[in-house]
Amino acid sequence: MTTDTANLGRRRKPSGALAQVLRAPRVEAQHPRRLRPLLIAEAANPEWSSVPLVGWNLSRAIARQTDALVVTQIRNRTAFLRAGLVEGEDFIAIDNERVAAALHRFGERIRGGSNKGWTMVTATASLAYYSFERELWSALGPRLKAGEFDVVHRITPLSATSQSGIAHHLKRINVPFVIGPLNGGTPWPAAFDAVRRRELEWLTPWRDLHRLMPAYGATRYKAAAVLAGSNAAFEQLSKQVQAKTFWLPENGVDPQRFPFTQRRMRDGVLRVAFVGRLVPYKGADILVEAVARIVSDSAIELLIIGEGPEREALDQAVAARRLNGKVRFLPWQEQSALASALADVHVLALPSVREFGGGVVAEALSLGLVPVVANHGGPPELIDEATGIAVDFTDRESLIAGFAASLRRLASEPGLVERMSAAGGERARRLLTWDAKAERILAIYDWVIGRGARPQFLNPKLDVHHEITRTN
């Protein structure tokens, strides 16, 4: 996770005005009362990517429909202010930077290199999170005890290895606690253990030790509801916890930033894009191999958007397979520029063998691209047979062959591309916008506070979908 280095090692006490706000109960408005959730988004930042962007977008979508107060970490404070939020009214920033910065430096020192050892980075961040919640309870405990908030929802961290020490406090004072979407822990496919080692994920086999962490049980058993970001995350929970768990992928889209365009192969050429870090498990090399196998009999072009340590090897693979006229590269694109970069593309290909969420898949659907993904982890749960293709595989060779066959099929069936494009855009607007996700979460809030029925959601494992209607 990106860290604002300007704040490392620096503690900042709340100003007199903020300290006053922290102590004072909120004055109710004269109009009918809206739901008042306390949203914990330790990682939330509109200027970053990955988890902080999820925390920002989801908390803002919920806040648009409620009188929410967001609690975030001090490193995000300046970005919140630049976005126009009012400190003390819209958000509160918790300063546990002395602990967080020290553990961040330790994690960076032992991870093994940039873009490597992400499990170790997550583990050290999970240790730091204890201090964040301790400071949070000190600041907001009195207001919670006074009954100011209807529900507390921990949105981020997303990792199930970060435990919530406040869960038992909230249970004791009868404030419902919602946690999630939790994600992570998707197993590495057995045939890709060499890739795991190249990623320096040596801590992965020991991940289940997080079950011994303080507050592991309370985090789950004393929560009123749990959101699972994937079926893998759902299956990691006990049967008792699963009974109050809802499937809700963490990734969403802003349809204004990723506007739908109907995709058509006007010149008969299938244009495919890969978007992601150029690291071993993302599989850009697999995609190059797949294109090389069909380029002689299919009109196809490949665009690779991203940066990372595999770039040189990819250049060599393109040259060795004489694909210089068929494959081109672009550096990493900010979200604000990504839609333009993909304007002429028909297909988003993601051969990643260990993807928890797959935010780029949701963005592709919103834009009208047809996703072709490895059938493992979170990405295949975002699509169905009408909107994309999930490629079954057992090893590297079967994954290459599966992607080659899928791309050949799309290149030969322009009508299929058009139909999937239209269906994918509709699916994104119906299920995957941040506002749509917020509606589902608010239905859960209604349930845990006793003013609504237990909601049911789409679950790809059950292959059913129930529309959610909240009682206003």
Side-chain angles (χ1 to χ4, degrees):
M1 182 178 68
T2 310
T3 299
D4 185 349
T5 55
N7 286 318
L8 290 179
R10 188 167 69 199
R11 289 183 64 82
R12 188 164 17 189
K13 293 183 178 180
S15 65
L18 176 56
Q20 209 168 25
V21 170
L22 289 172
R23 291 192 296 270
R26 182 176 178 274
V27 177
E28 290 293 342
Q30 297 304 309
H31 55 74
R33 184 178 179 279
R34 293 208 302 172
L35 200 65
R36 176 69 163 162
L38 180 68
L39 304 179
I40 302 174
E42 187 269 352
N45 197 307
E47 300 170 4
W48 296 345
S49 60
S50 191
V51 175
L53 196 57
V54 171
W56 169 264
N57 283 322
L58 194 50
S59 64
R60 294 310 301 149
I62 295 170
R64 283 193 290 270
Q65 302 186 46
T66 65
D67 289 333
L69 178 66
V70 179
V71 187
T72 193
Q73 210 269 357
I74 192 70
R75 75 176 76 91
N76 305 309
R77 177 178 179 271
T78 55
F80 271 59
L81 293 172
R82 280 193 291 267
L85 273 65
V86 178
E87 189 168 11
E89 181 178 330
D90 299 316
F91 78 98
I92 289 173
I94 298 295
D95 188 353
N96 70 322
E97 196 65 13
R98 183 173 61 182
V99 174
L103 284 168
H104 177 76
R105 289 193 296 267
F106 176 72
E108 288 296 311
R109 189 176 302 121
I110 65 175
R111 67 186 299 186
S114 177
N115 281 317
K116 301 285 186 180
W118 283 99
T119 304
M120 176 55 68
V121 174
T122 301
T124 54
S126 295
L127 295 175
Y129 185 71
Y130 284 113
S131 68
F132 176 83
E133 280 202 355
R134 185 170 59 248
E135 298 291 339
L136 182 157
W137 186 256
S138 177
L140 290 166
R143 293 170 67 176
L144 285 159
K145 292 174 183 176
E148 178 180 346
F149 300 99
D150 299 300
V151 61
V152 175
H153 179 186
R154 193 196 93 176
I155 298 173
T156 65
L158 301 178
S159 174
T161 62
S162 293
Q163 314 311 324
S164 279
I166 66 171
H168 70 282
H169 293 305
L170 295 171
K171 182 72 171 180
R172 190 174 64 246
I173 62 175
N174 294 317
V175 176
F177 178 55
V178 177
I179 184 169
L182 297 178
N183 215 340
T186 300
W188 283 88
F192 288 84
D193 192 62
V195 175
R196 177 184 68 82
R197 295 175 185 277
R198 288 174 62 196
E199 295 282 359
L200 301 183
E201 291 291 350
W202 58 269
L203 193 60
T204 299
W206 308 98
R207 183 181 182 276
D208 281 351
L209 290 176
H210 78 276
R211 299 173 185 271
L212 303 177
M213 294 175 69
Y216 173 85
T219 298
R220 291 151 180 79
Y221 292 105
K222 297 191 176 181
V226 178
L227 308 181
S230 67
N231 278 316
F234 181 87
E235 290 167 357
Q236 293 168 32
L237 301 169
S238 70
K239 296 295 184 184
Q240 181 180 344
V241 177
Q242 286 179 356
K244 59 183 177 184
T245 299
F246 302 86
W247 179 83
L248 191 79
E250 76 266 23
N251 296 112
V253 289
D254 177 352
Q256 293 184 325
R257 178 163 284 184
F258 296 96
F260 175 77
T261 300
Q262 174 64 57
R263 307 292 160 152
R264 293 183 174 88
M265 294 171 55
R266 299 184 187 280
D267 60 0
V269 178
L270 182 72
R271 294 181 174 84
V272 180
F274 168 93
V275 180
R277 291 183 295 120
L278 304 184
V279 293
Y281 82 89
K282 291 282 188 177
D285 59 318
I286 287 172
L287 192 53
V288 170
E289 292 285 351
V291 170
R293 293 189 182 186
I294 64 173
V295 70
S296 63
D297 58 34
S298 302
I300 187 168
E301 295 177 357
L302 174 61
L303 171 65
I304 297 177
I305 300 177
E307 299 171 357
E310 296 296 295
R311 173 57 194 273
E312 184 177 350
L314 289 169
D315 284 335
Q316 293 172 354
V318 169
R321 288 150 187 78
R322 300 180 181 179
L323 295 175
N324 291 313
K326 298 292 184 180
V327 180
R328 62 189 180 97
F329 292 85
L330 281 180
W332 180 252
Q333 304 290 302
E334 297 293 336
Q335 276 208 330
S336 57
L338 187 57
S340 295
L342 296 173
D344 295 328
V345 173
H346 308 105
V347 173
L348 182 283
L350 185 64
S352 178
V353 297
R354 192 174 184 259
E355 202 76 25
F356 302 139
V360 68
V361 176
E363 293 162 1
L365 288 167
S366 184
L367 289 170
L369 275 67
V370 179
V372 179
V373 304
N375 195 11
H376 187 71
E381 297 176 9
L382 298 176
I383 62 175
D384 58 17
E385 292 183 354
T387 60
I389 299 175
V391 177
D392 293 326
F393 67 98
T394 55
D395 54 17
R396 177 183 170 83
E397 171 56 32
S398 61
L399 189 56
I400 294 171
F403 266 81
S406 298
L407 296 178
R408 179 183 283 114
R409 178 189 176 196
L410 292 172
S412 65
E413 298 185 42
L416 179 61
V417 172
E418 289 190 28
R419 292 192 299 274
M420 284 188 162
S421 172
E426 189 278 331
R427 180 179 177 85
R429 292 188 294 275
R430 177 167 53 90
L431 295 175
L432 299 178
T433 67
W434 295 112
D435 287 337
K437 289 177 179 294
E439 278 288 332
R440 286 160 172 75
I441 289 171
L442 265 60
I444 294 173
Y445 293 171
D446 286 343
W447 175 61
V448 300
I449 67 175
R451 72 179 193 187
R454 187 188 194 281
Q456 302 292 323
F457 298 124
L458 172 78
N459 187 321
K461 193 171 185 180
L462 302 177
D463 195 29
V464 296
H465 177 258
H466 303 271
E467 292 292 348
I468 304 303
T469 302
R470 293 189 65 236
T471 302
N472 294 321

